[in-house]
Amino acid sequence: MTATAAEDWKHWTEQRAASVSAPHGQLALTGTHWLAPEPGEVPGLPGRWWADGEGVRVRAAAADGVTVGGRPVDGEVLLRPDTDPAADTAALDDLLLVPIEREGELALRVLDPAAPRRVAFAGISSYPYAPEWAVPAVFTPFEGEPQAVVVPNADGRERPLAVTGRIEFTVAGEHRTLTVSRAGQRLSGVIADATSGVDTYRFRFITLPAPDPDGNTVLDLNRAYLPPCAFSDHFICPFPPPGNRLDFAVEAGERQVLSR
């Protein structure tokens, strides 16, 4: 293990803890409210909220205190969801209100800095850094368009997960493949192993550097990380696709959320 690798990993763990515990980080999520085409109430919020073909709409009076871009909503306003390059958010006092779109359905997320899980957060437990868990991998893309694999999600529903290829690697003496997706130029995946649900959360996410023209990249399981639904029950994380449940213990990466 080089000092640089260990120091980089330590810095990464510190950044992870700071990100999830930020005032509107993952620990602050207190609700994901799916919206109907007709105006209706969102629990705990003033105004009327609904979904249409353009995004989330809100109708409120200035006295209600809902703002968009720092300006009070006084009438009807369109909020573009997170899938739009020009996505919008709204606010109510300390609450951040985030429109999201998933598989054509629209919802409003409410992030509250006073969320109990954020207040009780005491860090993320991790295995010690071990260089043997960072190994070469080769990415082979699927032919044609990305494939859609239907997988269960943390909210109990099944949704398609777009996957673009497989990585092949050898770790802990085991030769394996994993199905992965493209995340920009990088690769990402959802995995489970023999520690999942025992010493670690039910499943974890991985991110790999962009592969070179020959498909070469690196799988560093020291940076296997907890999905958003480990920090709040209101996220809708995908479970691992078939074949991404390793039959040996990956004693590397993040383990559990710690609470006071």
Side-chain angles (χ1 to χ4, degrees), residues 26-66:
Q26 293 173 355
L27 285 158
L29 183 65
T30 58
T32 296
H33 305 280
W34 298 98
L35 302 173
E38 302 79 25
E41 295 183 353
V42 171
L45 300 182
R48 309 284 284 181
W49 304 79
W50 69 99
D52 70 12
E54 296 182 88
V56 171
R57 292 192 180 272
V58 55
R59 184 184 301 132
D64 290 329
V66 178

Side-chain angles (χ1 to χ4, degrees), residues 59-78:
R59 184 184 301 132
D64 290 329
V66 178
T67 62
V68 175
R71 297 183 176 183
V73 173
D74 191 10
E76 184 179 310
V77 172
L78 170 68

Side-chain angles (χ1 to χ4, degrees), residues 80-251:
R80 291 161 294 193
D82 60 342
T83 50
D84 191 301
D88 298 301
T89 60
L92 176 66
D93 298 324
D94 290 337
L95 303 181
L96 180 66
L97 313 176
V98 182
I100 68 167
E101 184 271 331
R102 298 293 182 270
E103 301 303 319
E105 295 187 66
L106 289 157
L108 187 72
R109 280 185 170 157
V110 179
L111 295 110
D112 182 358
R117 294 192 71 171
R118 178 174 182 265
V119 173
F121 180 64
I124 304 170
S125 62
S126 299
Y127 291 101
Y129 182 88
E132 60 268 25
W133 288 108
V135 297
V138 177
F139 171 66
T140 303
F142 295 136
E143 293 185 5
E145 297 294 320
Q147 300 179 11
V149 180
V150 176
V151 298
N153 279 234
D155 64 348
R157 298 179 61 178
E158 292 192 343
R159 295 182 178 86
L161 175 67
V163 293
T164 55
R166 290 188 176 89
I167 56 167
E168 187 174 354
F169 59 95
T170 299
V171 66
E174 302 285 348
H175 185 76
R176 292 291 188 273
T177 62
L178 292 171
T179 302
V180 294
S181 306
R182 281 277 187 184
Q185 294 300 311
R186 295 161 71 86
L187 304 173
S188 65
V190 189
I191 65 168
D193 65 274
T195 71
S196 300
V198 182
D199 194 44
T200 63
Y201 188 69
R202 292 181 293 171
F203 56 95
R204 292 182 285 176
F205 288 176
I206 54 170
T207 301
L208 294 83
D212 69 14
D214 296 321
N216 297 303
T217 182
V218 174
L219 172 63
D220 187 354
L221 290 165
N222 290 289
R223 301 199 185 201
Y225 62 99
L226 300 180
C229 52
F231 301 96
S232 171
D233 295 333
H234 302 284
F235 284 105
I236 53 173
C237 311
F239 288 5
N244 276 24
R245 294 183 178 273
L246 301 171
D247 57 0
F248 56 93
V250 177
E251 295 181 332

